[in-house]
Every structure is written in structure tokens, then in C-alpha cells.
Amino acid sequence: MITLWGLLSLGFWQLDRAAEKRAIEADIVAAQLSPAEFVPVNELVNKEHYQVLLRGHYDNDKQFIYDNQIVNSNAGYYVLTPFVLENQTAILVNRGFVSWYGNRDKLINTNIGKNITTIQVKLISPKERIKLKQQNASPIFPLLIQSLDLNQLSQLSGYSIVPMLAQLNVNAKHGFYRKWQPFYGSVDKHLGYALQWFLMAFVLGIIALRLLIKKSGK
């Protein structure tokens, strides 16, 4: 009976987790459907999943090549360009994916103008894969990187980088291949786990009932 109670408890716990995730996902979907608006620099960290408008200029001389990316089964890199907002504050704009095409010795032309402009981006929290290797004191840009350690990238670029990553709108100019992955929730995963625990409880209950019937018939 203790085991049966434990299995049922795990099932209901997964249902509770699914309800929590459903509420979170509803907020994310609402954010994605909101129209793009200008957001103060100090509020950008609170706008994950939102489309926002940014006004500033790109720094053509401090670009990063984010290596070891796979898109459509092709190995390549993302081009990350600082977009300077105000007072040496910048945000890294992911301008899209470029395939190596088997030639790691040649980068695509990443040059972009420094004129003041307005861009539309989607904000996401950067995921750090591995620690960034120590770079030389005087890095050569565009700089090949393996990780999004924003503290390290701030030091290398000389900017105070906003701790968010901006995905350039697919319709914007001056970008590369962009087909950003949509948000995939995890509610179904929790519901699946709950079903498994309940099925195990059901099977255990049937076994226990049959044993009880068999024992009482003796």
C-alpha cells in the first residue's frame, strides 16, 4: 500500500508540475504575440521571449563568430554583432547562421554599417555551453568563440553587454540565414510522466487485488 500511495503521489505531483508549466507557457505565448515596442535598456532583461525595437548602431569592428552550430544538418556558426545602445552599453545581435561548407579558413563577409538605425529583435536568455577559452589581451576581430560567457565577451569587446541575446527579425536586412526555433513547451512531458505513474499504480493495484482474492480464497 505504501508503494501504491507513492506511485499515486508521483502522478499527482507531475500533474501539478504540468499545471505550473502550462501557466508559464501561456505567459510566453502572450509575450511572443505582443507587438514589438521600444523598451528601456534597463528593462531588457525582463523581456525574454518578447519582440522589441532597439535603436542604436552596430559595431562592425567587434564581432563574434559563435562556432560549432548545427542548422539543417549543416555545421557552421552564428554571427553575433554588438548593437550599441547607450553609454557603452550594447546587446549582442544574432544576425543568423552561416555554413562553413567544409572550409573553416574562410569567413563570410560580416561587414555592416555603423549608421544609427532601428531593428526588431526577439530576446532570449543565452545558454552557455562550455567555458570560453582564455583569449589574448588584444583579440583579433571577428573573434571565434565557443561559448556565450557574456562577462568574458564584455571584457573582450569593451562594452557592458546586456545579459540577453537578440535574434534579428527574419525580415530585417543585413542578416544571414534565420529560421529561429519556436518555443516548445514541456507540459506534454509532465502529462506523460503522470500517465506512467498512474499506470504503474493501476497495475500494482490489480496485482495486489488478485493476491488478496487468492489469499482470501484459501
Side-chain angles (χ1 to χ4, degrees):
M1 291 299 294
I2 294 178
T3 303
L4 181 60
W5 178 84
L7 293 174
L8 291 173
S9 297
L10 287 171
F12 284 115
W13 177 71
Q14 288 293 343
L15 289 180
D16 289 339
R17 292 285 292 153
E20 293 173 2
K21 290 293 182 67
R22 189 177 288 110
I24 293 172
E25 291 175 14
D27 290 340
I28 292 174
V29 171
Q32 293 175 335
L33 295 177
S34 299
E37 297 179 344
F38 285 101
V39 176
V41 174
N42 60 352
E43 295 182 12
L44 290 175
V45 293
N46 300 320
K47 291 295 182 179
E48 185 178 11
H49 304 296
Y50 280 83
Q51 294 279 343
V52 301
L53 299 175
L54 302 174
R55 186 157 182 80
H57 67 87
Y58 288 107
D59 188 340
N60 187 66
D61 301 324
K62 297 288 182 69
Q63 302 194 68
F64 297 98
I65 303 302
Y66 189 17
D67 199 10
N68 293 328
Q69 306 295 328
I70 302 293
V71 174
N72 295 336
S73 300
N74 293 315
Y77 54 91
Y78 286 122
V79 177
L80 307 182
T81 307
F83 191 76
V84 185
L85 301 168
E86 59 182 38
N87 300 328
Q88 287 300 107
T89 297
I91 188 169
L92 287 182
V93 175
N94 188 340
R95 293 167 56 203
F97 174 81
V98 180
S99 174
W100 283 114
Y101 291 117
N103 184 3
R104 293 184 59 87
D105 297 326
K106 185 177 180 180
L107 290 174
I108 199 169
N109 183 0
T110 62
N111 289 341
I112 190 170
K114 294 185 178 181
N115 296 330
I116 297 294
T117 186
T118 298
I119 60 174
Q120 180 175 332
V121 299
K122 176 186 174 182
L123 300 179
I124 63 171
S125 293
K127 303 297 188 294
E128 185 178 343
R129 299 181 305 187
I130 57 176
K131 290 295 182 182
L132 187 67
K133 293 182 180 179
Q134 187 67 35
Q135 301 288 344
N136 296 328
S138 300
I140 299 175
F141 290 93
L143 184 64
L144 193 71
I145 62 173
Q146 308 293 335
S147 175
L148 289 179
D149 183 340
L150 295 188
N151 290 329
Q152 181 76 11
L153 299 187
S154 292
Q155 296 174 16
L156 292 169
S157 66
Y159 291 112
S160 174
I161 295 180
V162 176
M164 298 293 284
L165 186 63
Q167 295 177 332
L168 187 62
N169 187 274
V170 295
N171 297 318
K173 297 179 181 179
H174 309 301
F176 305 100
Y177 179 80
R178 285 156 290 162
K179 190 176 181 181
W180 308 120
Q181 289 292 332
F183 171 77
Y184 293 108
S186 56
V187 171
D188 290 343
K189 179 183 70 175
H190 291 291
L191 293 177
Y193 288 153
L195 180 61
Q196 291 179 17
W197 291 123
F198 287 140
L199 285 176
M200 291 175 65
F202 176 75
V203 171
L204 182 61
I206 293 296
I207 293 174
L209 181 61
R210 294 189 64 175
L211 290 175
L212 183 61
I213 294 174
K214 185 176 180 180
K215 184 177 180 179
S216 62
K218 290 183 178 181

